[in-house]
């Protein structure tokens, strides 16, 4: 068993072994950040013998190699890495770190390894994890921990869902009410959607801009890009509670403590809403100045108020739009264009907010069980798309509903997608919606080891996928979990057969009996047996 996740696309074992108790790293100065982690891990793990020969790691630029790809030549005296830039060098170090078992705690006198030749490159350029911090909030340290894990697993993007009906999570000084009102809810629905159980504690959480900048900086050092999301015009009950003027009928509501698709959202009929939304994304684009992408949501927009709202109806008449779908598309286009034209960033929207009239530069994110044929046609016609079907990649689902084998094994499944349109799929994203994810332990339980399965699904070519081998490796990642102090689901849970408990509606959000037991334990922060 070669213990590597994601498994490299070409790996050959060669004769001999490596062992060393001193080392040096050779790399051009401008790429140095790429070897910082490796250097730290080596110096933590190895009790360095100054008299021993220095084992040499040399990182060599090669323009023929694609971005993120790398080649590793190992032999007894030296390991050479070829890549065309920092990202390739960095991912090579993540592979070496696993091969040399550098995450293991404690110091040793010698580092040993078999000798390999590795040639590796990602299956998709876009490999992303989405974290919802509106429904529940996990905090700076947890987000940094997740970024480190993503980075080790060669997942290069964190999509950060920072606004929804249940709370707005950025403190923008120019929008004081977003912190004062929109970041706070008075109670939270617990246990499941079906019963009427509530946690009556006030829940107020928010990141300061400084905290966000600190996280962005941390992510950059680990080659993880952040995509911030402010979902609109739907899922904006929290924003509208803070600024009722954005509501179709100027009504004052409370920030939601329950979950669903609500009608008390932004009005796309009022000019005030456009002004507000543009100013808000201005703040977002400035805060996330290095982000290539901005996500503006667009999903699950309830049109009930729009049908009756005089402003919405007036706007439709003015613009000669014959239905509220077109009004929604107009709103999203205005915001998307504002971002694309003023900040030179790309805009992503959930697929159910993308219509015939949607600006063709907008990237579509597919999330549903079954993709509507007209949306697949958009991909055939050239629309760039991110693939994140809930049936494969929604990690908030219990393992009993979504066993890990489905995350690992299913390729791109879109009926009637033309062969030459596959190139429009930029990559994959897995998502954690946090309605029922009340604390960091439950969060980790839901995503580990699923992130490992996702890592391999999005990095390794399907021809090199081997689920049995993968499970064996996952079961031997103890030192990785310990290093990060990560909670994870045990094998008997993550290999659960799907659908077994589907009919027990009240347990839909909690999964199997065993998962409920685990969740309860994690709630109390007691880690029970594996
Ligand atoms: Zn309206």
């Amino acid at each position: 068993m070669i213990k590597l996740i994601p498994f490299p696309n070409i790996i050959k074992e060669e004769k001999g072994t490596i062992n060393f108790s001193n080392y040096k790293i050779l790399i051009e100065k401008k790429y140095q950040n790429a070897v910082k982690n490796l250097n730290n891990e080596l110096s933590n793990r190895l009790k360095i013998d100054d008299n021993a020969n220095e084992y040499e790691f040399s990182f060599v630029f090669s323009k023929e190699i694609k971005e993120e790809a790398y080649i590793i030549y190992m032999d007894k005296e030296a390991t050479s890495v070829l890549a065309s830039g920092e990202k390739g060098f960095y991912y090579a170090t993540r592979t070496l770190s696993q091969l040399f078992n550098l995450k293991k705690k404690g110091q040793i006198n010698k580092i040993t390894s078999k000798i390999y030749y590795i040639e590796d490159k990602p299956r998709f350029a876009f490999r992303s994890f989405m974290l919802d911090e509106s429904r529940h909030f996990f905090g700076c340290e947890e987000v940094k921990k997740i970024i480190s894990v993503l980075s080790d697993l060669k997942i290069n993007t964190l999509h950060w869902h920072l606004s929804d009906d249940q709370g707005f999570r950025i403190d923008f000084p120019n929008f004081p009410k977003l912190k004062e009102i929109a970041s706070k809810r008075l109670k939270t629905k617990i246990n499941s959607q079906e019963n009427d159980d509530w946690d009556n504690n006030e829940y107020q959480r928010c990141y300061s801009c400084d905290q966000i900048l600190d996280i962005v900086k941390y992510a950059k050092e680990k080659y993880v890009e952040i995509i911030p999301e402010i979902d609109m015009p739907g899922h904006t009950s929290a924003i509208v509670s803070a600024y009722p003027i954005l509501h179709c009928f100027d009504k004052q509501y409370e920030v939601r403590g329950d979950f669903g698709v609500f009608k008390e959202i932004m009005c796309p009929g009022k000019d005030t809403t456009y002004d507000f939304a543009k100013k808000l994304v201005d703040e977002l684009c400035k805060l996330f100045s290095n982000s290539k992408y901005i996500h503006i949501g667009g999903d699950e927009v309830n049109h009930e108020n729009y049908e009756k709202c005089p402003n919405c109806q007036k706007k439709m008449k003015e613009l000669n739009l014959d239905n509220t779908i077109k009004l929604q598309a107009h709103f999203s286009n205005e915001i998307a264009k504002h971002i694309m034209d003023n900040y030179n960033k790309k805009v992503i929207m959930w697929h159910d907010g993308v219509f015939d009239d949607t600006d063709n530069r907008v990237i579509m994110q597919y999330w549903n069980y079954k993709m509507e044929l007209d949306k697949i046609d958009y991909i055939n016609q050239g629309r760039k798309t991110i693939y994140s079907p809930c049936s494969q990649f929604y990690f908030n689902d219990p393992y009993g509903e979504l066993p890990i084998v489905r995350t690992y094994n299913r390729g791109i499944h879109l009926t009637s997608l033309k062969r030459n349109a596959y190139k429009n799929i930029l990559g994959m994203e897995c998502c954690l919606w946090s309605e029922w994810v009340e604390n960091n332990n439950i969060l980790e339980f839901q995503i580990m080891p699923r992130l490992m399965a996702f890592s391999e699904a999005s990095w390794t070519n399907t021809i090199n996928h081997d689920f049995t081998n993968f499970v064996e490796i996952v079961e031997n990642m103890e030192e990785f979990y310990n290093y990060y102090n990560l909670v994870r689901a045990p094998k008997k849970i993550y290999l659960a057969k799907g659908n077994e408990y589907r009919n027990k509606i009240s347990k839909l959000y909690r999964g199997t009996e065993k998962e409920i037991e685990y969740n309860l334990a994690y709630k109390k922060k007691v880690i029970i047996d594996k």
Side-chain angles (χ1 to χ4, degrees):
M1 179 186 61
I2 305 171
K3 223 170 74 177
L4 286 173
I5 294 179
F7 207 76
N9 281 301
I10 296 174
I11 180 163
K12 288 177 198 150
E13 191 177 328
E14 314 212 318
K15 278 200 184 123
T17 52
I18 288 171
N19 57 73
F20 60 90
S21 39
N22 197 355
Y23 72 94
K24 65 176 168 193
I25 296 177
L26 304 172
I27 189 164
E28 267 186 79
K29 208 167 179 191
K30 62 178 171 182
Y31 301 130
Q32 255 172 7
N33 181 60
V35 297
K36 228 166 78 184
N37 269 16
L38 179 70
N39 192 32
N40 286 340
E41 289 166 344
L42 280 167
S43 60
N44 286 336
R45 184 80 178 117
L46 187 62
K47 208 180 283 169
I48 291 171
D49 175 359
D50 291 327
N51 299 319
N53 285 337
E54 287 172 321
Y55 185 82
E56 195 175 291
F57 291 93
S58 59
F59 290 78
V60 182
F61 173 81
S62 165
K63 71 173 190 309
E64 280 76 37
I65 297 176
K66 286 194 171 157
E67 197 181 26
E68 295 193 313
Y70 62 90
I71 298 175
I72 299 176
Y73 298 94
M74 298 166 81
D75 72 32
K76 282 185 178 169
E77 279 76 40
T79 283
S80 307
V81 174
L82 297 186
S84 62
E86 276 184 70
K87 288 181 189 170
F89 289 139
Y90 182 72
Y91 288 132
T93 72
R94 296 307 80 211
T95 300
L96 291 170
S97 166
Q98 288 188 41
L99 278 180
F100 294 145
N101 221 357
L102 300 181
K103 286 277 189 290
K104 202 163 175 180
K105 284 185 179 158
Q107 282 207 317
I108 50 173
N109 293 322
K110 260 186 189 350
I111 285 179
T112 56
S113 166
K114 289 181 176 171
I115 293 179
Y116 299 99
Y117 166 79
I118 300 172
E119 206 178 312
D120 206 10
K121 63 171 192 222
R123 180 183 177 206
F124 290 108
F126 185 95
R127 307 176 301 280
S128 174
F129 168 65
M130 188 215 75
L131 183 64
D132 165 16
E133 286 207 89
S134 170
R135 278 60 176 262
H136 283 96
F137 185 90
F138 307 104
C140 296
E141 288 315 305
E142 186 68 14
V143 172
K144 284 185 179 174
K145 180 169 164 180
I146 287 171
I147 288 170
S148 298
V149 170
L150 296 178
S151 166
D152 272 336
L153 296 174
K154 304 187 175 85
I155 299 168
N156 60 11
T157 308
L158 173 71
H159 167 186
W160 207 0
H161 187 80
L162 289 161
S163 171
D164 213 300
D165 300 301
Q166 295 75 15
F168 191 91
R169 303 286 171 230
I170 313 171
D171 176 11
F172 285 127
N174 289 335
F175 293 88
K177 287 182 179 171
L178 289 177
K179 182 181 182 186
E180 201 184 303
I181 299 172
S183 77
K184 178 166 74 182
R185 59 178 184 252
L186 299 177
K187 54 180 187 173
T188 305
K189 189 136 200 201
I190 51 170
N191 298 332
S192 88
Q193 192 76 309
E194 283 68 33
N195 33 21
D196 194 30
D197 302 340
W198 295 85
D199 172 345
N200 287 308
N201 294 310
E202 187 183 286
Y203 192 93
Q204 182 170 29
R205 305 279 193 284
C206 205
Y207 287 111
S208 70
C209 290
D210 283 346
Q211 286 173 323
I212 286 186
L213 289 173
D214 180 49
I215 289 172
V216 168
K217 182 169 166 260
Y218 185 86
K220 189 167 183 259
E221 285 189 354
K222 307 229 166 204
Y223 303 94
V224 173
E225 286 201 31
I226 297 188
I227 303 176
E229 178 184 357
I230 295 181
D231 196 346
M232 55 189 152
H235 288 288
T236 49
S237 307
I239 296 174
V240 166
S241 302
Y243 297 93
I245 194 167
L246 304 172
H247 184 262
C248 281
F249 307 108
D250 293 357
K251 282 202 177 148
Q252 173 74 63
Y253 288 91
E254 274 177 10
V255 177
R256 306 293 306 206
D258 56 349
F259 310 108
V261 176
F262 306 111
K263 64 180 166 63
E264 315 313 345
I265 53 175
M266 279 178 171
C267 167
K270 291 179 180 178
D271 292 336
T272 320
T273 310
Y274 292 76
D275 293 344
F276 179 94
K278 285 177 189 173
K279 283 186 185 135
L280 188 59
V281 296
D282 283 340
E283 299 287 332
L284 192 71
C285 291
K286 284 178 209 154
L287 184 58
F288 291 89
S289 58
N290 287 323
S291 294
K292 270 206 304 271
Y293 303 95
I294 299 286
H295 204 304
I296 58 166
D299 59 316
E300 298 184 320
V301 182
N302 184 322
H303 286 216
E304 203 180 318
N305 285 346
Y306 300 174
E307 300 289 350
K308 292 175 254 168
C309 164
N311 290 302
C312 285
Q313 296 302 316
K314 191 169 152 239
K315 180 72 92 191
M316 283 162 63
K317 214 174 238 174
E318 269 169 32
L319 297 169
N320 205 14
L321 306 173
D322 49 22
N323 58 51
T324 53
I325 293 278
K326 288 187 177 165
L327 180 62
Q328 182 192 328
H330 170 75
F331 173 81
S332 296
N333 274 344
E334 286 291 301
I335 308 309
K337 280 179 195 161
H338 181 79
I339 295 169
M340 295 186 292
D341 298 343
N342 291 300
Y343 296 95
N344 196 25
K345 293 179 186 296
K346 295 177 178 175
V347 169
I348 308 173
M349 288 175 60
W350 299 104
H351 79 268
D352 49 329
V354 175
F355 306 102
D356 291 351
D357 301 332
T358 302
D359 190 293
N360 58 23
R361 293 170 292 173
V362 169
I363 298 164
M364 176 167 80
Q365 179 167 7
Y366 162 55
W367 64 269
N368 215 335
Y369 285 96
K370 202 170 180 335
M371 185 78 138
E372 297 83 351
L373 288 177
D374 57 334
K375 304 284 157 98
I376 296 176
D377 268 344
Y378 294 162
I379 311 177
N380 287 332
Q381 289 154 20
R383 189 176 291 281
K384 299 287 182 257
T385 300
I386 295 161
Y387 187 73
S388 57
C390 55
S391 51
Q392 189 171 354
F393 292 144
Y394 271 22
F395 293 171
N396 40 286
D397 275 359
Y399 287 91
E401 287 274 316
L402 173 52
I404 204 167
V405 66
R406 284 227 303 268
T407 300
Y408 185 87
N409 262 346
R410 286 189 67 216
I412 301 287
H413 287 265
L414 293 171
T415 330
S416 83
L417 183 70
K418 290 181 182 154
R419 187 173 276 271
N420 66 1
Y422 269 86
K423 63 175 185 301
N424 297 326
I425 309 276
L426 302 177
M428 297 173 152
E429 182 174 292
C430 52
C431 303
L432 190 283
W433 297 102
S434 61
E435 285 93 331
W436 314 101
V437 180
E438 291 145 36
N439 64 40
N440 300 359
N441 285 340
I442 298 177
L443 165 69
E444 292 173 10
F445 176 86
Q446 292 299 126
I447 65 174
M448 298 309 299
R450 278 167 160 158
L451 278 178
M452 292 179 176
F454 176 81
S455 151
E456 208 148 305
S458 59
W459 177 279
T460 311
N461 291 327
T462 43
I463 196 168
N464 297 321
H465 286 180
D466 180 339
F467 186 66
T468 312
N469 189 49
F470 167 76
V471 171
E472 200 187 333
I473 297 172
V474 166
E475 287 303 300
N476 280 283
M477 293 296 277
E478 200 72 16
E479 69 279 1
F480 184 85
Y481 294 120
N482 289 342
Y483 184 84
Y484 287 116
N485 192 20
L486 275 168
V487 171
R488 81 283 198 185
K491 193 174 171 186
K492 62 186 165 192
I493 296 234
Y494 74 72
L495 289 183
K497 290 274 181 295
N499 297 336
E500 218 173 308
Y501 296 85
R502 194 178 276 279
N503 295 327
K504 295 186 181 172
I505 296 295
S506 66
K507 286 173 186 151
L508 194 61
Y509 298 100
R510 286 286 185 223
T512 62
E513 298 287 352
K514 197 73 194 163
E515 281 185 84
I516 296 168
E517 191 187 309
Y518 271 83
N519 274 330
L520 290 174
Y522 291 139
K523 241 178 170 175
K524 294 178 201 144
K525 300 204 184 244
V526 179
I527 310 302
I528 55 180
D529 80 292
K530 290 189 287 166

